[in-house]
Amino acid sequence: DLGSPGATKPPNEALSLQDISAVKAIALSERRKAPLEVHMLADEPSEEFIAEVIDAGADIVTIHWEAFPDKSTLAVRVQFIQALGAQVFLAVRPITCMARVHSWLTHQHFTINGISFCGTQPGIGGGTLAKIVLVHIQETRSRGFSGLIEIDGGIEPEVSAPRAHAAGADVLVAGSAFFGKAQGRSVARLAAACRDLRASQASLRPAPFPPLHIPSQHCLRCSWSTSGLKEAAKCPKCGSDLQFLHQT
């Protein structure tokens, strides 16, 4: 989770841009080279702020539906993020009217990469998964949404994780289950639950994360670089041609 710069009420645990870069380095060192998702708990995050987050290593940028009173600004931010080579997830709170969200998505000429349903109140860890979220997921799938569906919050091994999977969630985000008081026991149980879910999922539908094409590009003029999920021809900062470094 990443809060707004200078926010007076940041989330319980907010990461800095330096933290994102450090986590990205760890992710790239692992054999899976897992994509790094940054959940922005910020009201109308600026393009400059978003660019800094992607520069720091974000492959997926999650922004909140409720953070943009003017939905035309939300549309601009979605396209800006994708133009910089990152994927976009749209975060939605449990109490949000999904009919409005679905209607808005239907009338856009772009496609978001995923919807992140907040399983609890955003920014407050340790809560119980709101049951209405499972209904939102089923409704979203029934409307033909083909992107990834994520539940962020309220995930624990015995009850909510299996229910979220059965409802159609592809990605489960757990915080307190990893970093709670019974850390060691919770991590072991959650790891076992994830293995069971993946095994059952293999026979039900394709793996949630398709093989990732992660180019690494560098601008020789201003030193801007990215390891986003799609290639860009020009540097978004200075307009110069980008040099392709490698891909994984």
Side-chain angles (χ1 to χ4, degrees):
D1 288 343
L2 183 70
S4 302
T8 56
K9 294 183 179 180
N12 287 352
E13 295 292 338
L15 301 180
S16 67
L17 294 173
Q18 292 75 20
D19 292 330
I20 294 173
S21 295
V23 173
K24 179 66 174 182
I26 295 172
L28 288 175
S29 69
E30 298 294 329
R31 275 184 273 181
R32 279 195 65 191
K33 292 183 171 58
L36 177 60
E37 178 188 353
V38 175
H39 188 140
M40 301 189 73
L41 287 172
D43 291 331
E44 294 188 298
S46 66
E47 291 185 349
E48 180 182 6
F49 186 29
I50 290 172
E52 289 178 339
V53 169
I54 295 174
D55 283 347
D59 298 303
I60 303 169
V61 178
T62 299
I63 53 178
H64 272 265
W65 163 266
E66 301 85 3
F68 294 87
D70 183 353
K71 301 308 177 189
S72 63
T73 303
L74 173 59
V76 170
R77 293 294 187 274
V78 169
Q79 294 173 91
F80 178 78
I81 293 169
Q82 292 178 334
L84 290 185
Q87 291 191 8
V88 181
F89 279 18
L90 185 64
V92 182
R93 294 184 179 186
I95 61 174
T96 294
C97 174
M98 286 306 300
R100 292 186 58 199
V101 178
H102 292 309
S103 177
W104 181 80
L105 289 173
T106 301
H107 291 88
Q108 304 306 314
H109 64 272
F110 55 78
T111 302
I112 63 170
N113 304 101
I115 296 178
S116 177
F117 290 98
C118 298
T120 61
Q121 178 67 13
I124 302 176
T128 302
L129 177 66
K131 294 181 179 179
I132 189 62
V133 172
L134 304 179
V135 177
H136 291 335
I137 291 175
Q138 292 172 332
E139 179 186 3
T140 299
R141 284 298 187 207
S142 69
R143 288 175 176 263
F145 181 74
S146 59
L148 293 175
I149 288 183
E150 173 182 275
I151 292 185
D152 185 349
I155 297 298
E156 47 76 34
E158 284 79 12
V159 179
S160 61
R163 286 181 177 175
H165 171 260
D170 302 296
V171 184
L172 307 180
V173 179
S176 297
F178 282 103
F179 304 111
K181 294 180 180 179
Q183 181 178 348
R185 185 172 70 247
S186 294
V187 170
R189 294 204 322 266
L190 192 59
C194 287
R195 287 193 295 269
D196 293 341
L197 291 176
R198 285 172 180 152
S200 64
Q201 188 180 53
S203 62
L204 295 176
R205 59 179 186 267
F209 282 110
L212 290 175
H213 169 66
I214 307 181
S216 179
Q217 295 171 287
H218 182 72
C219 178
L220 298 177
R221 182 178 179 183
C222 71
S223 299
W224 181 87
S225 62
T226 180
S227 57
L229 297 182
K230 68 177 183 179
E231 298 175 37
K234 299 288 186 180
C235 174
K237 285 190 174 181
C238 70
S240 300
D241 291 335
L242 290 175
Q243 181 183 18
F244 183 77
L245 297 181
H246 67 272
Q247 76 180 50
T248 56

